[in-house]
Amino acid sequence: MSTLTLDSILNPEPLQVSRHIKPTAEDAASVTFTDFQISDSLKARLTAAGFITPTPVQAGAIPPALEGDDILATASTGTGKTLSFLIPMIERLEEISVPSTRGKKTPVLSLILLPTRELAMQVLEAFHKICPTLKSDAVLVCGGLSENTQMEQISRGPRLIVATPGRLEDFLRRKAVNLKDVDMLVLDEVDRMLDMGFLPAIKRIVAALPKDRQTMCYSATLDANIREIVKDYVQNPVRVEIGQTSRPSDRVELRLYTVMQDQKLSQLDKMLNEEEGTYLVFSRTKHGADRIGRKLEKLGHSVEIIHGDRSQSQRSAALKSFSIGRSRVLVATDVAARGIDISNIAHVVNYDLPNGSDDFVHRIGRTGRAGAKGVATTFVTPLEKGDARKLERELKIKFEWNEADKNLAKEERNKPIDVNGPSSDFLQMETRSWKNADGSVSEPSSPQRPRSGSSSRSGGFGRSNGGGRPGGRTGGNAGRPASRRPGGSNRGR
């Protein structure tokens, strides 16, 4: 392990890459999946699944990954990253024949780490779509689902684990999973995993992997902090860069409405009545998402709600209802901003401003995907105009500024109770039972008048500001192609 010095901290060693690829849409259009050096069986399954022409990130990442190179890719959401690492992984697994185990389970050979269970579930679904006969060969390891079921599935010997870091680290600590034979590691949405505080878990997981593996890292952004972290996990990677990853897609029309806080709901209702297509609406808080969803339902719109307090079954059901068109509107907090792959979302609405420019990019990245056009509308109150201008400067974008109709209906929020009104008003208030010092319970004989100086909860909201390669391998090279072992021509390890 290298010695940490002041100079190494102030002047970190730069990330060394073997080559830099910037594939364009024109480059991708000139090839098909059948042009890749993959098996005829895999080509046939990709064609049957409807995959004909690769996206730029697929065209750039798949060929060097098939050669055994490490990959460091940056691309905005909706560019086809999942297939760009699944195809090389599936090809590798199919190259390695499964030996007769005589009662012993096969080792885990591939590992995919992702930030959220929804994204992990979607990756596993994509794997099953391409490999429908290998469903028992891949398992999901994540929180929010049955721990016993996942441990039982691992005990059967899957060769691929798709996981979120928290649950996998827990299993690793309890020795419920063995990762010493992992041949290929994928770290997807690296920036998001760091945002969620998964770096310690990732470090401990990677420390349990062999040193001579192949690693593929994907991130929407690649700032100095992320570069410093990923350089510990990749060796001379091929750098694949797709367009500008730190700004919204040019396929998304950026609209902005200056609107009073209590008229946002009416503005959204007006848009839903005047424009077609599905809507993904982002609220800053879970309480706000619930309130917006309820109010929209009262206005006659079909709505689903997703946020961190919803159970996994509720979140899955909401996403399914929205994705198949049963519900037109999905109201969400930022838990759905990244990694949720739902096709054909026509409109994203920032009901509340996000906490930072990065969250803004990922929110509106839910529309305008796979070559389609999309619309992203942001609501700002008069006091938030400065924040919107800051977004324009940071992201080098230009909103289409609009003023909302000042005659829009105002949202009726909880009204204060008239303490000087008829006594019947007080009877609508909740009565409470209080415990006396001796443990007995006393009921108020009549509603109590609030004392002067008591405070009620007020509206409004604040904004928060958006903050050596591990241990070696002992053995575990069995079944690995010679060119990908240490000293091989492709890896140099």
Side-chain angles (χ1 to χ4, degrees):
M1 182 178 294
S2 60
T3 303
L4 189 64
T5 65
L6 179 61
D7 182 66
S8 67
I9 296 173
L10 297 177
N11 302 288
E13 181 182 350
L15 176 65
Q16 300 293 330
V17 299
S18 60
R19 53 196 164 112
H20 202 139
I21 301 174
K22 292 186 177 182
T24 64
E26 290 73 22
D27 297 331
S30 64
V31 298
T32 65
F33 283 107
T34 56
D35 294 322
F36 294 138
Q37 297 300 307
I38 55 179
S39 68
D40 291 338
S41 172
L42 182 51
K43 289 178 181 178
R45 279 176 279 145
L46 288 169
T47 301
F51 299 117
I52 307 299
T53 303
T55 65
V57 69
Q58 293 163 0
I62 290 175
L66 288 170
E67 294 172 3
D69 289 315
D70 282 2
I71 302 294
L72 178 57
T74 48
S76 57
T77 53
T79 55
K81 291 183 293 180
T82 300
L83 216 56
S84 73
F85 59 74
L86 276 183
I87 288 177
M89 182 173 284
I90 292 169
E91 179 70 10
R92 175 78 63 83
L93 289 173
E94 293 184 349
E95 284 178 358
I96 303 173
S97 59
V98 182
S100 174
T101 58
R102 295 183 180 180
K104 295 182 180 180
K105 65 181 182 181
T106 56
V108 178
L109 299 178
S110 298
L111 172 63
I112 303 173
L113 288 180
L114 310 110
T116 67
R117 56 189 167 215
E118 286 85 4
L119 184 54
M121 292 165 71
Q122 289 172 12
V123 169
L124 191 64
E125 183 180 350
F127 175 83
H128 291 156
K129 186 175 182 180
I130 302 172
C131 303
T133 63
L134 297 178
K135 291 197 173 181
S136 62
D137 211 21
V139 300
L140 182 69
V141 174
C142 65
L145 300 174
S146 170
E147 183 179 288
N148 292 335
T149 298
Q150 292 175 34
M151 294 183 74
E152 192 272 333
Q153 290 174 337
I154 291 173
S155 70
R156 297 176 188 172
R159 295 190 297 165
L160 167 62
I161 288 180
V162 183
T164 53
R167 174 62 63 86
L168 182 62
E169 183 199 19
D170 179 46
F171 281 7
L172 194 63
R173 185 175 61 250
R174 292 154 58 184
K175 295 182 169 37
V177 62
N178 189 332
L179 303 176
K180 69 181 180 63
D181 293 302
V182 168
D183 188 59
M184 181 183 284
L185 167 68
V186 172
L187 298 172
D188 194 16
E189 302 265 1
V190 173
D191 54 335
R192 182 58 171 164
M193 287 197 286
L194 298 185
D195 288 345
M196 297 172 70
F198 283 137
L199 181 57
I202 292 171
K203 284 184 175 181
R204 285 188 279 270
I205 291 168
V206 175
L209 306 182
K211 196 172 184 179
D212 57 315
R213 66 184 184 272
Q214 180 181 11
T215 302
M216 303 177 72
C217 291
Y218 291 79
S219 181
T221 59
L222 195 62
D223 58 25
N225 183 45
I226 296 174
R227 284 174 180 269
E228 186 64 17
I229 291 167
V230 299
K231 75 180 179 65
D232 291 333
Y233 304 139
V234 293
Q235 289 187 5
N236 297 319
V238 174
R239 175 82 168 86
V240 181
E241 184 178 359
I242 310 299
Q244 298 206 15
T245 60
S246 60
R247 67 186 304 273
S249 167
D250 293 333
R251 297 187 301 271
V252 179
E253 179 184 346
L254 302 175
R255 300 177 186 172
L256 180 144
Y257 279 93
T258 303
V259 58
M260 301 304 293
Q261 183 68 30
D262 58 2
Q263 291 180 310
K264 285 183 178 181
L265 187 71
S266 293
Q267 178 61 41
L268 178 56
D269 179 50
K270 183 173 183 287
M271 291 163 55
L272 285 165
N273 290 329
E274 292 178 352
E275 301 183 38
E276 297 180 348
T278 53
Y279 276 65
L280 175 56
V281 179
F282 282 105
S283 166
R284 185 182 295 114
T285 67
K286 294 174 282 191
H287 171 74
D290 286 331
R291 182 182 56 78
I292 295 165
R294 289 194 304 268
K295 298 266 180 134
L296 287 176
E297 283 184 335
K298 288 182 179 179
L299 291 171
H301 304 290
S302 54
V303 183
E304 294 292 344
I305 303 169
I306 177 173
H307 53 63
D309 281 352
R310 295 255 158 165
S311 68
Q312 182 58 44
S313 60
Q314 288 175 319
R315 293 162 73 172
S316 298
L319 288 171
K320 181 178 180 181
S321 176
F322 182 65
S323 63
I324 66 176
R326 185 182 301 140
S327 299
R328 185 187 176 200
V329 183
L330 177 64
V331 183
T333 55
D334 282 305
V335 70
R338 309 186 193 214
I340 302 299
D341 188 11
I342 300 175
S343 302
N344 305 318
I345 297 177
H347 211 130
V348 167
V349 176
N350 291 308
Y351 197 92
D352 299 316
L353 272 176
N355 288 328
S357 57
D358 191 49
D359 287 329
F360 178 85
V361 172
H362 283 283
R363 280 185 179 188
I364 69 174
R366 303 299 93 206
T367 187
R369 298 163 71 89
K373 296 282 187 180
V375 178
T377 299
T378 300
F379 293 165
V380 296
T381 64
L383 293 177
E384 294 173 324
K385 285 184 179 181
D387 294 324
R389 297 291 186 194
K390 183 180 178 182
L391 274 176
E392 288 185 313
R393 291 192 302 271
E394 289 183 355
L395 299 175
K396 296 179 174 59
I397 59 174
K398 184 66 178 174
F399 287 117
E400 175 193 311
W401 287 73
N402 301 278
E403 290 281 346
D405 184 353
K406 289 184 171 47
N407 294 318
L408 286 171
K410 295 183 178 182
E411 181 182 357
E412 187 173 303
R413 308 295 287 268
N414 293 334
K415 294 181 178 180
I417 294 177
D418 183 3
V419 297
N420 296 315
S423 61
S424 59
D425 290 347
F426 290 106
L427 296 180
Q428 307 305 315
M429 298 175 65
E430 177 186 9
T431 58
R432 300 182 183 272
S433 300
W434 300 96
K435 283 188 178 181
N436 300 317
D438 61 1
S440 62
V441 176
S442 62
E443 297 286 348
S445 57
S446 62
Q448 302 297 309
R449 184 185 182 101
R451 293 173 295 177
S452 61
S454 64
S455 61
S456 61
R457 189 172 183 175
S458 62
F461 51 85
R463 306 241 350 257
S464 60
N465 294 324
R469 196 141 166 148
R473 178 175 188 168
T474 57
N477 277 324
R480 181 172 187 168
S483 63
R484 294 173 185 138
R485 296 177 187 170
S489 59
N490 293 318
R491 308 280 303 154
R493 299 183 179 175

